């Protein structure tokens, strides 16, 4: 069995400009949806390896401390912002764990260790990127998910 982590990147508001002909200023030009699948049998080992990486580079202390978890959450945008900050001779102030990265070698070390997770466990990855403008022209549809918990409806464009 595979477990999937699904996340998006980009602004899904699709807000239109005053004339209705283009996207409003500040809306992301692209929208990306990605999924990473890992084997259920590897879940524990991957979690342990990620905690080791977080302790080594981001000062993570305990998986029971939710404050520490959010301060060291590994997100692409945090990695990119940290790389740009150290390149400019600064530190990324937030999230707090990323403020420990003080130079290019440390950011590269974190990226290398994360890359080794992919090399070691070989997850399945799926990604799709579309232009936000093309999504704005798709008619709205209602999609319903059924689950043991109460059903909810989400509007998708």
């Amino acid at each position: 069995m595979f477990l999937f982590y699904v996340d998006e990147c980009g602004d899904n508001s699709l807000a239109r400009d005053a004339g209705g002909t283009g996207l409003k200023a500040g809306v992301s030009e692209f929208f990306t949806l990605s999924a990473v699948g890992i084997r259920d049998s590897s879940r524990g080992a991957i979690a342990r390896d990620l905690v080791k990486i977080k302790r080594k580079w981001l000062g993570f202390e305990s998986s029971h401390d939710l404050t520490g978890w959010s301060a060291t959450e590994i997100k692409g945008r945090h990695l990119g912002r940290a790389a740009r900050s150290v390149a400019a001779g600064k530190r990324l102030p937030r999230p707090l764990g990323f403020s420990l990265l003080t130079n290019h070698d440390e950011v590269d070390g974190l990226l290398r260790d994360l890359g080794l997770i992919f090399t070691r466990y070989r997850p399945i990855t799926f990604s799709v990127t579309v232009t936000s403008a093309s999504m704005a022209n798709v008619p709205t549809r209602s999609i319903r998910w059924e689950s043991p918990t109460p059903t909810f409806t989400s509007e998708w464009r």
Side-chain angles (χ1 to χ4, degrees):
M1 176 169 63
F2 281 85
L3 303 172
F4 283 87
Y5 173 77
V6 180
D7 203 2
E8 90 291 333
C9 178
D11 183 352
N12 63 0
S13 75
L14 303 179
R16 306 296 277 180
D17 62 16
T21 58
L23 295 172
K24 188 176 181 179
V27 172
S28 301
E29 184 180 353
F30 298 100
F31 183 82
T32 301
L33 182 65
S34 295
V36 176
I38 60 168
R39 288 175 181 78
D40 185 38
S41 59
S42 300
R43 177 177 31 173
I46 292 171
R48 284 187 295 276
D49 284 353
L50 286 171
V51 166
K52 286 178 192 175
I53 291 169
K54 289 173 84 168
R55 282 189 181 125
K56 178 179 178 180
W57 297 109
L58 305 174
F60 181 73
E61 292 298 325
S62 167
S63 58
H64 302 292
D65 175 14
L66 294 180
T67 304
W69 187 260
S70 64
T72 61
E73 184 177 11
I74 298 170
K75 293 185 136 226
R77 89 169 158 235
H78 300 329
L79 295 168
R81 289 175 55 227
R84 287 189 300 276
S85 291
V86 298
K90 302 176 183 176
R91 287 186 185 188
L92 185 64
R94 289 202 169 116
L96 189 59
F98 283 80
S99 68
L100 299 177
L101 300 171
T102 61
N103 61 58
H104 180 75
D105 290 338
E106 291 173 352
V107 173
D108 277 357
L110 171 58
L111 292 172
R112 181 194 62 242
D113 287 353
L114 290 171
L116 289 173
I117 293 284
F118 280 83
T119 301
R120 184 174 302 128
Y121 297 104
R122 316 264 316 155
I124 297 172
T125 59
F126 300 97
S127 291
V128 62
T129 299
V130 296
T131 62
S132 297
S134 67
M135 286 177 43
N137 297 324
V138 175
T140 301
R141 293 188 176 93
S142 179
I143 300 172
R144 183 177 296 273
W145 288 272
E146 300 282 339
S147 69
T149 57
T151 302
F152 68 95
T153 302
S154 177
E155 293 295 322
W156 282 74
R157 288 186 168 255

